[in-house]
Amino acid sequence: MASDHTRSAILAAAERLYADRGFSDVTLRDIVAEANVNLAAVNYHFGSKDELIAELFVTRSIATNRERLRQLKDAEEQGGGRAPIEAILRALVGPPLRGCLGPENQRSTAARFMIRASIESVPPIRRIKNREIDHLRKFAGAMRRSLPDRSDVDIYWGLNFALAMAHHTIRESERLTKLSEGKCDLDDVEDVVARVVTVATMALTAGKAEAKAPAKVAAR
C-alpha cells in the first residue's frame, strides 16, 4: 500500500540522517526532503520528531532484546534451568556488541543509528530505556539462580556493570583503538564479548564487597 511505502520511506530516511548527523542536527524538513514526502505525511504517521525517534529505537531494541532472551533461554535449557553465569552474561552483552561492532556492522545504518543512540542522550530514548526493563528482570532472575549466594544488590550492580562495559565499549571503540595503537582489536567482536564477560564474571564471583563504606577520617 502507498501509505505503508511512505511510512517505510520516512523511517529509512530518518535512520540514515540520524546515523550520519545525530539527533539535534536533523530537522523534520531534512527527513521529508530525504524521503521525498511532504511534512503532513510525517505528522500523520508519527505525530512528532520525538515519536519518530522512539519508533526507530524501539524497532531496533526489540530485535536485540529478542535475541538476548533467545540466548538466555537456550543457556538455561542446556543448564537444566540454571545456566552458568558466563552464559547469562554472554546472552546479555553479546547481541548489542555483535550488532554494533565489527567492520561490516559498523558501516550499516542500523548499527550507526544505535551507536548514535548510545552516545547522544535524547528524551524519547531515555524514556524508553527507563521504561522497558522487563527483559533485564529476566536476566536478573537467571543470575540469582546461577549465583544463589549473592544478594539482590550484588546481582543488580553486576548486571549494571556488565551493561555499562558493553555500552562504553560501543561508544568509545574509536578512542580505544587509538589509545592502544591498534593493539585492542575491536573488529574481533567475539574477543570483545569474551573480555566483557570475563571481567563481569570476576566482579560477580569475587569476594563479597563490604556492605558499608569506610568511616570518614576525622579532620584534624
Side-chain angles (χ1 to χ4, degrees):
M1 295 175 62
S3 180
D4 291 338
H5 175 76
T6 298
R7 193 172 189 280
S8 296
I10 294 168
L11 286 169
E15 189 171 50
R16 284 195 301 273
L17 290 173
Y18 290 140
D20 291 340
R21 294 163 47 186
F23 297 106
S24 60
D25 289 342
V26 175
T27 67
L28 287 181
R29 293 193 181 278
D30 294 330
I31 293 169
V32 299
E34 178 80 5
N36 195 27
V37 300
N38 58 48
L39 188 59
V42 177
N43 293 328
Y44 172 76
H45 286 287
F46 303 101
S48 69
K49 179 180 176 179
D50 277 4
E51 290 178 23
L52 175 55
I53 292 172
E55 175 138 354
L56 282 168
F57 183 73
V58 166
T59 299
R60 297 303 179 192
S61 295
I62 285 174
T64 299
N65 293 339
R66 280 178 178 168
E67 179 59 18
R68 278 172 161 168
L69 292 174
R70 185 193 67 78
Q71 292 185 22
L72 177 63
K73 181 181 178 182
D74 288 348
E76 291 212 292
E77 286 179 350
Q78 291 174 17
R82 182 174 169 181
I85 189 62
E86 295 88 350
I88 298 168
L89 292 170
R90 193 175 300 112
L92 178 68
V93 303
L97 287 168
R98 294 188 188 98
C100 291
L101 297 180
E104 293 183 3
N105 286 336
Q106 285 177 332
R107 288 194 293 267
S108 76
T109 300
R112 290 187 295 110
F113 172 81
M114 290 304 285
I115 292 170
R116 183 74 69 172
S118 181
I119 294 171
E120 295 186 25
S121 181
V122 293
I125 291 177
R126 283 202 305 272
R127 286 194 292 269
I128 292 166
K129 286 182 176 180
N130 290 334
R131 184 178 68 241
E132 297 186 352
I133 58 174
D134 285 348
H135 70 289
L136 295 180
R137 295 189 190 283
K138 293 176 182 178
F139 276 91
M143 291 167 70
R144 285 191 200 96
R145 290 188 289 275
S146 181
L147 301 173
D149 60 320
R150 284 304 187 188
S151 69
D152 282 355
V153 171
D154 288 339
I155 293 296
Y156 288 127
W157 273 117
L159 189 152
N160 185 68
F161 289 149
L163 289 174
M165 280 190 286
H167 292 161
H168 186 78
T169 301
I170 291 168
R171 287 195 302 267
E172 303 296 345
S173 59
E174 185 177 354
R175 184 173 69 171
L176 178 57
T177 300
K178 291 179 179 178
L179 175 66
S180 68
E181 298 180 335
K183 294 181 178 70
C184 295
D185 184 4
L186 275 299
D187 287 344
D188 187 349
V189 183
E190 293 310 312
D191 180 66
V192 175
V193 173
R195 289 179 182 278
V196 172
V197 169
T198 297
V199 175
T201 300
M202 289 171 60
L204 278 161
T205 57
K208 191 170 183 180
E210 292 295 329
K212 296 181 180 180
K216 294 181 179 179
V217 178
R220 291 182 179 178

